[in-house]
Amino acid sequence: MKPIITFKDNHLGEIHIVIPKIREVTRGLGSVVITYDNGDKRNIDTKNQTELLIEITDAISNYYNDLK
């Protein structure tokens, strides 16, 4: 699995996220919040938070399972 997740944001267009740098993924009010290992945070506005959160957590899980 590639170490990068790519998806479209409603406002910013295409976003690329490096999986090994993610520390935490949570849902906020109308957005998914990603916290990186250096403490930076990114809010991604989306209509379907649950779907995006599942997509990101599945990609993280698959990435680390492929390393085993």
Side-chain angles (χ1 to χ4, degrees), residues 7-45:
F7 59 92
K8 298 256 184 193
D9 181 53
N10 296 338
H11 302 288
L12 301 174
E14 199 167 273
I15 295 175
H16 306 283
I17 297 174
V18 179
I19 293 172
K21 296 294 181 181
I22 295 174
R23 171 74 61 174
E24 179 180 17
V25 180
T26 59
R27 282 191 285 185
L29 296 173
S31 65
V32 173
V33 181
I34 298 174
T35 305
Y36 294 97
D37 59 358
N38 66 355
D40 289 348
K41 292 187 180 206
R42 170 170 273 230
N43 293 326
I44 302 170
D45 293 328

